[in-house]
């Protein structure tokens, strides 16, 4: 696999001499949170976490995206939590973008490094600690698990991007491909976390419109994304947050490949109110 980097250089503050102009936008159909606004002054400190700060880049909002929350976590050496998740209903998807850490669940310890993915079922009494001498960064996706009568709960997953096949979309000559951390045919899971890769010139050549909500964090490269009626330039470190049925497409113009971490809700009936 090509040498991989995942954008994780958040924080700092802009100079007082910089312009206010930004591509940050929040609409009724989508939001764009560029890396330039993920500064030191918008971080959160969470209960029962030590030497840790978080950028909360999505949360359920009535009338917008309602299924998930996504954090970018930065854990200093020696930091972490023995009680990270306060909600027993919440499952977790973790993706490491920098450094090393240890996740403990069910009495077993799992070493994670840059490129590692972990799925932790709802109700797991998991722990996470940075036992290295350097800071570590990871994405933490939280979603209330939707149990289904007759389906057993999904098991935990621990894997690495290098262990997963990159599956090319049909008729794209490999320019649009997806790395899937959760088996799309396994309906025990009600969320997917993937890495989507476009080589220069790769494109989504139609306006996707679907019931799944999305969180898209750009890991590498740059592209032009079509969101509803707008074209938006995005680059590594930017986050896009799409509500259900928001039309979407993209064009990766290069010069390097364009990659993002993708969340979507799947495999469940629509709730009727």
């Amino acid at each position: 696999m090509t040498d991989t980097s995942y954008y994780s250089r958040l924080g700092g503050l802009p100079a007082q001499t910089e312009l206010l102009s930004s591509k940050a936008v929040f609409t009724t159909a989508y939001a764009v949170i560029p890396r330039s606004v993920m500064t030191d002054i918008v971080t959160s400190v969470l209960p029962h976490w030590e030497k840790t700060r978080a950028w909360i880049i999505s949360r359920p909002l009535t009338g917008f995206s309602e299924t998930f929350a996504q954090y970018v976590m930065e854990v200093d050496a020696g930091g972490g939590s023995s009680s990270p998740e306060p909600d027993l209903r919440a499952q977790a998807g973790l993706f490491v973008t920098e450094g090393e850490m240890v996740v403990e669940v069910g009495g077993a310890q799992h070493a994670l490094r840059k490129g590692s993915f972990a799925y932790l079922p709802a109700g797991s009494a998991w722990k996470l600690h940075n036992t290295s001498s350097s800071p570590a960064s990871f994405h933490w996706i939280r979603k209330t698990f939707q149990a289904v009568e007759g389906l057993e709960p999904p098991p935990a997953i621990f894997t690495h991007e290098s262990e997963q096949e990159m599956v090319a979309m049909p008729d794209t000559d490999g320019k649009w491909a997806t790395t899937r951390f959760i088996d799309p045919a396994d309906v025990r899971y009600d969320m997917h976390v993937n890495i989507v890769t476009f080589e220069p010139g790769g494109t989504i050549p139609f306006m996707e419109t679907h019931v799944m909500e999305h969180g898209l964090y750009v890991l590498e490269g740059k592209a032009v994304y079509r969101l509803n009626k707008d074209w938006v330039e995005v680059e590594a470190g930017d986050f896009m947050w799409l509500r259900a049925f928001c039309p979407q497409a993209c064009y990766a113009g290069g010069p390097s490949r364009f990659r993002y971490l993708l969340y979507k809700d799947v495999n469940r009936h629509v709730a009727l109110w």
Side-chain angles (χ1 to χ4, degrees):
M1 189 177 70
T2 304
D3 288 341
T4 298
S5 63
Y6 310 106
Y7 192 91
S8 60
R9 298 185 301 275
L10 302 183
L13 286 172
Q16 290 288 300
T17 54
E18 291 189 17
L19 297 176
L20 296 178
S21 301
S22 171
K23 61 190 173 190
V25 63
F26 191 98
T27 75
T28 56
Y30 71 90
V32 176
I33 304 176
R35 70 189 192 191
S36 60
V37 304
M38 298 188 206
T39 66
D40 292 341
I41 63 173
V42 297
T43 58
S44 297
V45 178
L46 302 174
H48 306 300
W49 282 84
E50 298 179 352
K51 299 181 179 179
T52 301
R53 61 179 182 170
W55 287 269
I56 300 177
I57 54 179
S58 73
R59 56 162 292 176
L61 293 173
T62 299
F64 193 64
S65 290
E66 300 180 341
T67 63
F68 75 111
Q70 185 163 341
Y71 304 171
V72 182
M73 304 288 288
E74 183 181 273
V75 185
D76 284 339
S81 178
S82 294
S83 183
E85 177 54 72
D87 192 337
L88 292 176
R89 303 171 303 163
Q91 59 196 313
L94 311 180
F95 181 74
V96 183
T97 56
E98 192 67 40
E100 301 174 352
M101 62 197 68
V102 174
V103 170
E104 180 180 334
V105 61
Q109 292 189 342
H110 302 266
L112 306 184
R113 68 188 195 280
K114 184 173 75 170
S116 291
F117 172 79
Y119 170 81
L120 302 164
S124 300
W126 58 280
K127 305 175 183 179
L128 185 150
H129 290 94
N130 179 358
T131 58
S132 73
S133 58
S134 301
S137 298
F138 67 96
H139 285 256
W140 178 9
I141 297 169
R142 302 173 62 225
K143 180 185 185 296
T144 299
F145 179 65
Q146 295 174 265
V148 175
E149 185 177 356
L151 287 181
E152 63 181 20
I157 296 172
F158 290 92
T159 186
H160 190 274
E161 185 189 357
S162 63
E163 300 170 355
Q164 302 300 316
E165 180 185 7
M166 187 181 291
V167 180
M169 297 294 286
D171 303 321
T172 63
D173 196 28
K175 290 189 175 182
W176 173 14
T178 302
T179 305
R180 300 180 173 98
F181 293 115
I182 299 174
D183 181 357
D186 192 337
V187 296
R188 293 177 297 178
Y189 297 91
D190 67 357
M191 61 180 274
H192 285 170
V193 180
N194 306 329
I195 293 178
V196 180
T197 300
F198 290 92
E199 297 296 334
T203 181
I204 299 176
F206 61 98
M207 295 298 290
E208 289 190 38
T209 307
H210 48 62
V211 71
M212 288 81 76
E213 297 178 352
H214 277 342
L216 299 91
Y217 181 88
V218 183
L219 297 169
E220 183 181 347
K222 63 180 181 178
V224 181
Y225 233 93
R226 178 67 180 260
L227 301 173
N228 201 17
K229 298 180 294 181
D230 308 313
W231 285 102
V232 180
E233 290 184 291
V234 292
E235 63 182 341
D238 293 346
F239 180 71
M240 292 170 279
W241 186 12
L242 281 57
R243 70 179 297 177
F245 301 111
C246 174
Q248 58 201 265
C250 84
Y251 173 72
S256 62
R257 63 182 185 171
F258 171 63
R259 313 183 77 221
Y260 54 80
L261 185 71
L262 172 70
Y263 158 86
K264 60 181 176 181
D265 53 313
V266 296
N267 297 343
R268 294 296 185 266
H269 284 288
V270 174
L272 303 178
W273 305 104

